[in-house]
Amino acid sequence: MSVFPDDAAGPLGDAAEWFARLQSDTARESDWAAFEAWLTAAPANWSAFDAVERLWVDLDLAPVAAASPEPATGRVLPFLRRPKRLSWGVWAATGGVAAALAVGIISPRLLKPAQTEPVQTIMTAKGERKAVTLADGTRIELSSGTRVDYYFGGNRRWAQLLQGEAAFSVTHDPNRPFAVVIGDRRITDVGTVFDVARLDHAVRVTVQQGAVAVGAAGASPARTVVAGQQLTHVDGEEGSRVRAVDTDAALAWRSGRLVYSDAPLEAVVSDLNRYFATPIRVQNRETGELRFSGVLVLDGEGAVVDRLQAFMPVAIVRSNGVIWISGRR
Amino acid sequence: MDLVRFFSLRLKSTEAAEDLVQDIFVKISGLSESQIDNPVAYLYRLGWNMMLDKLRQQRRATARDGDWSDVQHTVVANDAVADGPSAEDVLDGRQRLQRIVDALQDLPPQTQRIFRMHKFEGLSHGEVAAALGISRSAVEKHVSAALRHLLTVRS
């Protein structure tokens, strides 16, 4: 697979492929044996592989730009320096032929797609809460309708929050940093208690103790969020917003309560929909902008909705399996 | 195949290979085997990355001294011996690095992103795959495609 027509081919191209293959965590002993056979088959292979290794270590010496984040997601890179290039798609198509030829010398198994297996998948159903303590002492509390995949390997620990909300109390280990991947963000702990929520089109990180670093999943500079702060990142956007919050309130779900101070009804409803089975909808935008302050005990959907009706100028209508909330005039 | 033989080939010295293999076993003494997918392959990768670390130190020293000759792997085997620079191979280091950075920026966004996550953030292929919701073999292909392109910047 080549991106540009003049990209390395022949022994050098093969060496690049071997390099990537051996760096992969799917490489097996038999791959190393096959690599040794390739390496010793021709002096050209040997020097080609040396060249890839030099490139690899030289990249670490390259100016900071090499490690700086790419432009915002979705922005097209300006292709100015190399006018002769074609689109990736076109080269992927023609490159396929070259790749197929190059593959002839590699075992076919090398190209078999592999799936990463989490060490542990922890899930909760709607309305369920669960706490799990990992072998290293790290505690993960899952809110309703949440899925966390936990991975462990080499010198890294990390979890991916695919949906819902979870609070992490991380046992710090400088040799094995703990990271959480959520949406297009990556959160790295600095020894701490924090909460991560997957919202409809955003990611929310609340830090109760210590500090975390939050950055784009594909970039290195990260923003530090400290205790008492909450970061909200809208999917696909470059920046994030950080504000001070009452973290006890933000993490109150752990004891079956939701605490709000001057929150739009829309946000309350969005939270409730994560906890309860029957979908709740707000009739119109005006109603969604009504403010709510107070504590909701999550004892049952009917009871919670009735309480909203008692404390806010809203009316509840149940129809066709949906609970509608509309403004009362 | 065994580790010492393999690294003897790479390092062109049995003694250096024995030292390296010793270091590998020191490094893994704290790990439990059950946490590693392919234990033998893991040992090779670990040893290889230690080799690359050593090469990196040399390249760094060379960069500092302003001599960007082709550092050969014989140097890895024996710290004291460096091959003399050949005139054609000498290239201004900064210029070469800048050209590598430029070449990196030529790559399609997805290839760049994958390469950066693996190379600069130190994520394994499996971790990159999971973070981006693609297969590990796709990550491998992007990494090798990126290398093929970066290799057009020759010294």
Side-chain angles (χ1 to χ4, degrees), chain A residues 134 138-142 146-151 156-171 176-190 192-198 203-207 211-218 222 231, chain B residues 117 121 123 127 130-131:
Chain A
L134 304 173
T138 292
R139 189 174 153 86
I140 308 178
E141 284 176 75
L142 277 74
T146 299
R147 175 170 168 183
V148 174
D149 283 353
Y150 179 65
Y151 299 81
R156 216 167 295 108
R157 303 172 288 167
W158 67 296
Q160 185 168 24
L161 187 116
L162 295 124
Q163 60 184 57
E165 179 168 11
F168 293 82
S169 307
V170 176
T171 305
R176 284 168 194 264
F178 193 98
V180 178
V181 172
I182 172 172
D184 59 0
R185 300 285 102 175
R186 193 150 71 97
I187 301 146
T188 320
D189 97 284
V190 196
T192 177
V193 179
F194 61 99
D195 180 89
V196 175
R198 185 79 187 107
V203 165
R204 196 179 64 204
V205 182
T206 313
V207 180
V212 298
V214 184
L231 174 142
Chain B
M117 286 171 85
E121 291 189 50
L123 295 185
E127 290 168 347

Side-chain angles (χ1 to χ4, degrees), chain B residues 129-144:
Chain B
L132 299 179
I134 57 177
S135 71
R136 282 196 277 201
S137 75
V139 172
E140 189 182 315
K141 282 176 197 161
H142 280 284
V143 169
S144 90

Side-chain angles (χ1 to χ4, degrees), chain A residues 214-248:
Chain A
V214 184
S220 35
R223 176 158 191 175
T224 304
V225 183
V226 300
Q229 289 184 333
Q230 182 174 75
L231 174 142
T232 307
H233 170 78
V234 176
D235 292 346
E237 280 187 5
E238 203 164 355
S240 308
R241 210 179 62 234
V242 173
R243 64 191 183 105
V245 291
D246 175 354
T247 57
D248 287 338

Side-chain angles (χ1 to χ4, degrees), chain A residues 236-308:
Chain A
E237 280 187 5
E238 203 164 355
S240 308
R241 210 179 62 234
V242 173
R243 64 191 183 105
V245 291
D246 175 354
T247 57
D248 287 338
L251 278 94
W253 62 263
R254 293 191 294 176
S255 51
R257 294 170 300 133
L258 293 178
V259 181
Y260 298 98
S261 166
D262 200 33
L265 180 61
E266 198 175 32
V268 177
V269 166
S270 166
D271 283 342
L272 293 178
N273 276 324
R274 290 195 289 117
Y275 289 91
F276 298 119
T278 309
I280 307 172
R281 304 234 190 293
V282 177
Q283 194 88 50
N284 53 38
R285 176 187 282 246
E286 206 177 294
T287 308
E289 285 169 358
L290 291 171
R291 299 282 150 170
F292 176 75
S293 296
V295 178
L296 291 175
V297 177
L298 299 170
D299 46 1
E301 187 164 18
V304 171
V305 172
D306 287 346
R307 249 170 266 146
L308 276 181

